[in-house]
Amino acid sequence: MAEYKRPSTEAEFAANFSPKKPLMSDTEAYYESSRCLYCYDAPCINACPTGIDIPTFIRQINNDNKDGAAKTIYESNWFGHACGNVCPTEELCEGACVYNNSDVKPIEIGRLQAHATDKVIRSKKKLFITGKPTGKKVAVIGAGPAGVSCACELRMLGHSVDIFEARAKASGLCVHGVAPYKLTNEEAVDEIAYLQEQFGFNIHYNKPVNGRAELDKLEKDYDAIFIGIGLGATSALGIPGENKKGVMGALEFVEVLRNKHQATAVGNAVIVLGGGNTAMDAASESCRMGAESVIIAYRRGPEEMGAYSFEFDLAKKSGSKALFNVTPVEIMGNGSVTGVKFIRNKTAYGKIEAIPGSEFVEPCDMVLLGTGQGKQVELLEQISGVKLDQKGRILDNRGRIVVNEHYQTSNPKYFAAGDAVNGGVEVVNAAAEAKKAAHGIDQYLKK
Amino acid sequence: MADLRTNLAGIKSPNPFWLASAPPTNSGYQIMKAFDAGWGGAVWKTLGVPVVNVSSRYGSVNYRDKRMVGFNNIELITDRPLKDNLREISEVKKRFPEHAVIASLMVETREEWHSIIRDVENAGADGIELNFGCPHGMCERGMGSAVGQEPKVLQTIVGWVKEVAKVPVITKLTPNISDITRPARAARAGGSDAISLINTIQSIVGVDIDQFVPYPIVDGQSTNGGYCGPAVKPIALNMVKNCAQHPEVGIPISGIGGVENWRDAVEFILLGATTVQVCTAVMHFGFGIIREILPGIERYMDEKGFKTIEDFRGKALPNIKHWEDLNLKYKVTASINESKCIGCQLCYTACEDGAHQAIALSNDPANRIPTIIDENCVGCNLCSLVCPVEDCITMERRDDAKQHLTWAERTAAGNIPKTFNDELAGGLHHWVPEPGEALAKKKPRHYKG
């Protein structure tokens, strides 16, 4: 039985999707920041991909300097507010907090971070002065965490920036792919507006960069190009029945949900295929949309799931059940989906093997594919000199996936970071990489 | 079972916990409530010359999320009519005959002293406390701490009081003086039966950095106040000790200053106090804190086998020496319990930057447990004080406990360093890194500059 009643009003939707990490009040932030021990060479900093000086910003909050706290955060991470909300802090900074070693609740770093950044975003206080103009122009493709982070850093270095965004909103997966109880569209968009106001980069919306001709123009008009296009649509499973009504990608489902809220069509019996974080999100969200039964189906055992354990826990708490060691072989139904046929697996020497004759059908009226996103190969293949591997990942001039320490591709004018390069990790990784890429671009432009 | 009854120079009370003369003892209503809750005595908010108070009276020192670790006030003595206070004293004594009601007094002339003493004695007060301590408002009028700071004047006034007083007289001392035993001795010489200390310390608790005016703010301006609360306890303990140890003081002491729980009270008693007086803690948490204090001290006394307060009063005094009489042969060094260490490295940075560079970090960044460099450790305690984990860093004795040599003994033997670079000096053979090593040291990656 589902825990959640199917929402029919915005208020009911908001109640079912109440923030996982609600904004802290001043009092709560004061008390929580008081607990920080101010460790030497603090493990939380070292656990943060962007290396935010966490004990310092917490001390700044505690000493009533929230602008200073926000500045400390943004200096390291231009997506400070989004990351405060969407980062898997349990696995990163908060997971590293020394309080964990004495069974004391770790400092709520993510919420403190969002508290400080929320203050400056609301007050529209400018914290940074952009660099002296260099006269150089950089085109950034994609206004997601990588693209916008790169743009901010480039502006700090004095280069002018035009961002080309395929969609109508900036912030990438922060508005399209993150669970609504982690970050609202308004929060995501407000942070971009705050950054844009401060740094003065241009965002050209609904301007996808397609084809060789458009790339040629960019190459002609700009001194360098940054690729922050993320990943593509959910990959197909390659099993019969995938095109039936009621089957969709988990990421696409999240995107619809974020925009249509309670009007999103969700079945009564949902099967989510996959063991990653997006699958967990889709399962939690289906529960919150009032589905009566939500089953996460994964090919291997629970310990091998790609999802963080806290995400699986959240999905379970929301009302999801899980089926392990099953492979979908066919989506059943006549036009609309009526079930998924699975075969059971056993694992031998790390490989999964189907158990002959173990097929069964699990009935459902909706299937969400949390089976990973494809790469945006179509665009990348158009860039002359940019090499991709068989999986569509961007390679550097030595054929390595990691581009290089400057995030420069094998075509020296092109740089890339974020999901397009790392294959899809966290917002915080994109922010960290894009900042380094901006410095790579800066060095390239100075040559 | 512990017997908490006390007798301070003839003033008896069911337990040593009195309310200090302050806002919590402003009325019979409050004192009845306190006695009902379990308090043993109360020193009535000072009666005396007529005053007018300002609005906005208190200021606070907060430490992180802890409110009122220090507290100050610019409130004066009672502004209620004397006759109301006298009537209420009678009522309280009638209802609580076994509890101590002490009238705190502050007037100017000999005649006024004589008159008000007769009044409060007639009302039933068990004792009198002379307020020679208030450091704001009253001292400008030649009373309060203006008296406490002039031992001769203090002695004269105590003399006036003793001319008529039939109940015991306690002289309350101001800490705003360099040697507390001087007014204490003057009080004794004037005939005072006991002393109480400390009154509040002249203070500014903070400054409003936007309005450019200290707290508390009275219409855009401020004045110095009297400081009290947990933050002043160490100063109070030292002054109580000084009086308790001085052979020419020799009269009972009521200890005041930052008492908030049973342990604070035990500390004051171990340094010689017979009773303790509490104000700020009650202003913060109410009279109910007595529910923690009474069972706390009873448990302590039962555990130690102390039957009465007298059994342990002053018990720490013989162990308080002059520095020159401490054993220079005693040696402790720090020891880190690895199983308790949580890896915050506060001990490391405290010792490295604030002490003697006697703690090392592992070269393996995954191992965050520091180690003590025994030969550098001077046994200062700092690491054990900053460590956030109970009993993780302990100070372990390293000498053989057989040798005893003090600075006084060395001086007598002519065995002390005499020149600036004398081989006999203490720090001469301690290891200290070369200045340049500071800049070569690996810094955490987020340190700027």
Side-chain angles (χ1 to χ4, degrees), chain B residues 314-387:
Chain B
K315 208 171 168 59
L317 290 172
N319 295 326
I320 306 170
K321 302 286 188 196
H322 291 296
W323 187 93
E324 63 175 12
D325 295 322
L326 299 177
N327 184 10
L328 297 169
K329 291 289 183 188
Y330 178 72
K331 169 81 177 161
V332 291
T333 62
S335 168
I336 298 174
N337 182 337
E338 291 188 12
S339 66
K340 290 190 172 179
C341 177
I342 60 172
C344 68
Q345 299 183 349
L346 284 174
C347 58
Y348 166 76
T349 200
C351 186
E352 173 72 13
D353 294 356
H356 295 87
Q357 299 81 45
I359 300 184
L361 298 179
S362 165
N363 289 325
D364 170 12
N367 175 14
R368 288 193 49 95
I369 301 174
T371 46
I372 304 293
I373 307 166
D374 243 15
E375 56 272 30
N376 291 3
C377 179
V378 301
C380 74
N381 297 343
L382 181 62
C383 56
S384 69
L385 300 177
V386 300
C387 179

Side-chain angles (χ1 to χ4, degrees), chain B residues 71-140:
Chain B
F71 185 72
N72 91 344
N73 81 90
I74 57 169
E75 190 172 291
L76 303 182
I77 63 176
T78 188
D79 49 15
R80 304 178 62 222
L82 180 62
K83 64 176 171 47
D84 291 355
N85 282 304
L86 294 173
R87 176 176 54 77
E88 290 175 15
I89 289 173
S90 301
E91 266 186 56
V92 171
K93 274 311 291 181
K94 209 172 178 185
R95 175 65 185 76
F96 290 96
E98 305 300 316
H99 288 62
V101 173
I102 295 101
S104 173
L105 304 176
M106 186 196 290
V107 287
E108 273 185 288
T109 66
R110 185 180 176 196
E111 290 65 37
E112 283 172 345
W113 279 107
H114 286 183
S115 149
I116 202 165
I117 287 163
R118 288 191 193 101
D119 285 344
V120 297
E121 284 184 350
N122 288 337
D126 300 298
I128 292 163
E129 186 180 82
L130 311 180
N131 182 344
F132 295 155
C134 181
H136 50 83
M138 305 312 294
C139 46
E140 290 93 325

Side-chain angles (χ1 to χ4, degrees), chain A residues 412-432:
Chain A
K413 196 165 190 172
Y414 283 87
F415 294 74
D419 282 359
V421 170
N422 61 35
V425 200
E426 301 294 338
V427 173
V428 67
N429 300 92

Side-chain angles (χ1 to χ4, degrees), chain A residues 30-31 33-43 45-51 53 59 62 75 98-99 101-102, chain B residues 62-67 340-346 348-349 353 361 368 388-389 441-448:
Chain A
Y30 182 56
Y31 278 76
S33 60
S34 294
R35 294 203 304 128
C36 176
L37 292 171
Y38 204 70
C39 295
Y40 178 78
D41 193 11
I45 305 174
N46 295 315
C48 174
T50 61
D53 188 349
R59 209 170 169 83
N62 197 244
E75 268 169 0
V98 297
Y99 273 135
N101 300 332
S102 55
Chain B
N62 303 335
Y63 181 75
R64 292 195 177 189
D65 57 342
K66 296 292 171 281
R67 301 270 158 176
K340 290 190 172 179
C341 177
I342 60 172
C344 68
Q345 299 183 349
L346 284 174
Y348 166 76
T349 200
D353 294 356
L361 298 179
R368 288 193 49 95
V389 181
K441 201 148 177 115
K442 191 170 156 271
K443 285 178 208 161
R445 67 167 172 152
H446 58 282
Y447 278 31
K448 298 205 178 74

